[in-house]
Amino acid sequence: MKHFLPTGDELIIRPPLISDAAGLLSNFQRMTRESEFLLFTPTESLDLDLTSEEEFIQSYLDNPNQLLLLATVKGQIVGSVNVNHSGFRKKKHIAEMGISVESKWQNMGIGRRLITSMLRWAEEQPELNIITLNVFSSNEKALQLYRNFGFLECGRIPNGIQQLNGRYTDLITMYRNIKPLV
């Protein structure tokens, strides 16, 4: 999908290719340095390598019940959204979403477009009814974005995240029904 950003740049949202591994790894490592809202620390992200990133991409390409979409501007990966299914039969109707956008590309509608694309995919999945996500309670912009898409808070782990500075924040679980349960 092609979109235009307020800057006039063209945003492309697309599935990954194995050849995107180096760019996706670089994007992820940049984001761990600039955001406190990812579970990986910058040091932990350095443990990832090109082979592990290729395997990561391949795992999505091999599984039709999972999704990985990339947001690119001028050929550079600036964000992504993924949906993971646990694989358990009893949870076949539930999947978990994750999303990230590099800080210099935030507030341009990229996250909104990634979620819209993800929801369109989710609506086409015959057995998928519920999307869940986890978000740090201190991430107000993300919380508002998810609320705007109809996600509701359904749980909270008090002090569930310890930041690198030693402070704690709650981990919030949110969900959205994609279609009614049959």
Side-chain angles (χ1 to χ4, degrees):
M1 287 185 186
K2 292 182 182 182
H3 308 275
F4 287 95
L5 300 176
T7 60
D9 291 317
E10 185 177 66
L11 168 70
I12 298 174
I13 296 177
R14 61 173 177 80
L17 304 169
I18 295 297
S19 59
D20 289 315
L24 188 58
L25 177 59
S26 177
N27 165 262
F28 184 69
Q29 290 173 335
R30 273 192 309 275
M31 285 191 292
T32 63
R33 289 191 304 271
E34 67 186 28
S35 174
E36 64 181 312
F37 301 123
L38 298 174
L39 288 177
F40 273 74
T41 66
T43 303
E44 290 167 336
S45 76
L46 294 176
D47 291 338
L48 303 173
D49 60 19
L50 187 59
T51 300
S52 67
E53 204 68 10
E54 288 171 345
E55 291 168 355
F56 174 77
I57 292 170
Q58 191 64 54
S59 72
Y60 284 93
L61 297 175
D62 290 344
N63 189 338
N65 296 319
Q66 298 194 149
L67 175 72
L68 176 61
L69 293 175
L70 307 179
T72 65
V73 178
K74 298 178 186 174
Q76 179 182 346
I77 298 169
V78 300
S80 63
V81 65
N82 64 310
V83 178
N84 293 310
H85 188 278
S86 71
F88 292 110
R89 174 89 176 107
K90 292 180 181 181
K91 290 179 69 177
K92 69 180 182 180
H93 63 292
I94 299 174
E96 183 175 3
M97 178 194 96
I99 185 170
S100 57
V101 176
E102 285 187 41
S103 62
K104 82 177 209 174
W105 295 99
Q106 292 176 2
N107 302 311
M108 292 189 204
I110 295 173
R112 183 172 34 83
R113 289 181 174 116
L114 282 166
I115 292 174
T116 299
S117 297
M118 179 277 300
L119 289 172
R120 286 183 181 145
W121 171 86
E123 289 166 356
E124 294 174 1
Q125 305 309 302
E127 295 185 328
L128 183 58
N129 301 97
I130 301 169
I131 297 287
T132 67
L133 61 88
N134 290 300
V135 59
F136 297 12
S137 62
S138 54
N139 193 346
E140 282 298 325
K141 284 185 180 182
L143 282 164
Q144 190 56 52
L145 177 65
Y146 303 144
R147 287 180 189 124
N148 288 344
F149 275 95
F151 283 87
L152 302 170
E153 182 175 334
C154 60
R156 182 181 286 251
I157 301 173
N159 302 314
I161 296 294
Q162 183 182 20
Q163 298 287 17
L164 293 178
N165 63 11
R167 285 185 273 186
Y168 290 89
T169 190
D170 294 354
L171 183 63
I172 297 173
T173 299
M174 301 180 84
Y175 79 99
R176 177 175 175 208
N177 287 325
I178 302 302
K179 50 190 164 281
L181 295 172
V182 179

